[in-house]
Amino acid sequence: MPCGEYFTDYGSRMGLFRWRTQRIALVLGLPIPFLLPFVIGGGTLNLFAQIYIFAIAVLGLNVILGYAGEIVLAQGAFMAIGAYSTSRMLGTGAGLLPAMIVGGFIAAGVSVAFGLPAVRVKGFYIAISTLALQFIAEWFFLNDKAAFIHGGVQQTVPVDVGLLGSFIRISSRTDIYFLALVSMLVFALLSLNFSRTGIGRSFRAVHENDLAAAVLGINVFRNKLLAFAIGGFMIGFSGGLYAVLIGFLDPSFFTIELTLQHYVMLLFGGLGRVWGALLGVAMVSILLDNLQEFFNTYAPDATSLIPVLFGAIIIVVLAVEPKGVLAALGQLKEYLRKWPYAY
């Protein structure tokens, strides 16, 4: 006689939320971020908004690296392209949402252009080509002579803009928080569904073994470029949101350090997993913020030790569980499920 939860058809087996506990957790947990602005404020609200924005960027990185297996070292450059493009588009009065979408498409186009070497090389060599984009972007946005393109090295982003033209004004930190939250939920849902589509499975096949994927009839080069396009769009879109959050643009916000930080977030949470990317962004952002606050309060002369301590924590965590925190939580769940009989 069947008992417990089980699947009776393929559709329920492949469902987005398959287990009863997942559906209960979704119903109970989803309202919490929408209620947060009523109980927190100031810097904490900005921190959560930044987490949502970085989550979109890391989900884009997850598409390129986690799904398709292409190493890209230009996360900061893509976000800068999205941020400066959004700022330029806002000047036309198009509205924030069209501006961010245009910024995302421009970042996607540049991402595809620098992914073209994938037709001949892969792995480390693709990483070097995208690293070149990072340095080219920093030089470009620091160049005053290119101001007619990017609009100026340093720019102030309007704090009161319409979402579509002059409609639905975004004029406060709370508005930006909700916009970042909704955008993150949309991209997270798309990413969860994307991993189950034929294209997502093609990406994973290319990631596992591109030669075997080609033998099976998968166009490896086209799928790699598609991964660059999708990931680049998401990262560029997040760059536009980030520009609105910080309200001021400077190339120093989009350096290689930002790229490495997003890599740490993705590896810390769990490469190739949407929930891992979200968990990694949240934990690393909160850890960095608490370290900064602790040193500012108790040891203001030793703030230079923050990167050292942060790096040591990351190394210890990845040494204990190389697959990330999400994999460690999975092992804990299995242990509790079998407890007290470990067989």
Side-chain angles (χ1 to χ4, degrees):
M1 176 180 292
C3 61
E5 287 190 88
Y6 56 91
F7 304 107
T8 57
D9 57 75
Y10 183 73
S12 58
R13 176 68 180 84
M14 295 301 295
L16 201 56
F17 301 99
R18 291 173 292 173
W19 305 102
R20 186 186 302 130
T21 51
Q22 291 178 327
R23 291 190 286 271
I24 294 173
L26 177 68
V27 172
L28 296 178
L30 189 58
I32 294 177
F34 287 95
L35 297 175
L36 275 180
F38 301 104
V39 294
I40 62 174
T44 308
L45 195 66
N46 275 351
L47 173 64
F48 276 92
Q50 180 179 298
I51 289 173
Y52 302 147
I53 294 169
F54 280 3
I56 299 172
V58 175
L59 285 174
L61 178 62
N62 188 50
V63 171
I64 303 175
L65 176 63
Y67 291 172
E70 295 297 301
I71 303 173
V72 54
L73 295 175
Q75 190 85 350
F78 294 150
M79 286 194 70
I81 293 169
Y84 278 88
S85 301
T86 299
S87 178
R88 291 285 281 174
M89 281 295 296
L90 287 177
T92 66
L96 182 55
L97 185 58
M100 292 189 297
I101 291 174
V102 170
F105 275 118
I106 294 175
V110 174
S111 176
V112 169
F114 277 81
L116 287 175
V119 69
R120 296 292 301 274
V121 297
K122 60 182 179 180
F124 176 74
Y125 299 97
I126 286 291
I128 294 301
S129 72
T130 56
L131 183 61
L133 169 62
Q134 177 66 46
F135 293 121
I136 291 173
E138 290 182 21
W139 167 82
F140 174 74
F141 289 113
L142 282 170
N143 193 342
D144 282 326
K145 294 180 180 177
F148 71 97
I149 300 175
H150 55 64
V153 177
Q154 295 180 331
Q155 300 178 33
T156 301
V157 181
V159 294
D160 186 1
V161 295
L163 191 61
L164 286 171
S166 59
F167 299 102
I168 313 177
R169 307 299 299 181
I170 304 295
S171 58
S172 67
R173 291 292 170 192
T174 305
D175 295 339
I176 297 172
Y177 171 90
F178 282 120
L179 179 62
L181 172 59
V182 172
S183 300
M184 187 271 290
L185 290 175
V186 170
F187 279 109
L189 188 60
L190 291 175
S191 295
L192 282 170
N193 278 295
F194 178 73
S195 64
R196 305 182 304 161
T197 63
I199 297 175
R201 287 193 288 272
S202 297
F203 283 3
R204 290 187 183 279
V206 171
H207 184 188
E208 292 299 323
N209 191 318
D210 53 357
L211 181 59
V215 171
L216 291 172
I218 296 174
N219 189 323
V220 175
F221 179 55
R222 187 181 64 188
N223 277 282
K224 286 182 177 180
L225 289 187
L226 187 58
F228 273 102
I230 295 172
F233 176 83
M234 295 170 68
I235 300 168
F237 188 93
S238 72
L241 263 176
Y242 191 50
V244 178
L245 176 68
I246 57 181
F248 182 75
L249 290 182
D250 188 277
S252 62
F253 298 151
F254 307 99
T255 61
I256 187 68
E257 185 179 344
L258 180 65
T259 300
L260 298 178
Q261 192 181 95
H262 285 187
Y263 263 82
V264 168
M265 291 172 174
L266 184 57
L267 296 176
F268 191 85
L271 182 64
R273 300 179 179 185
V274 173
W275 293 112
L278 301 179
L279 188 64
V281 172
M283 294 185 70
V284 171
S285 297
I286 292 173
L287 175 63
L288 268 175
D289 185 71
N290 283 322
L291 279 176
Q292 187 74 46
E293 186 175 347
F294 175 83
F295 275 90
N296 287 340
T297 305
Y298 298 103
D301 296 331
T303 53
S304 59
L305 292 177
I306 293 177
V308 178
L309 187 57
F310 174 71
I313 294 172
I314 296 298
I315 289 173
V316 169
V317 172
L318 292 181
V320 173
E321 181 46 80
K323 293 182 179 178
V325 176
L326 194 65
L329 292 176
Q331 292 179 1
L332 177 63
K333 186 186 75 173
E334 282 300 308
Y335 172 79
L336 294 176
R337 191 173 65 85
K338 296 174 181 175
W339 189 87
Y341 306 108
Y343 58 84

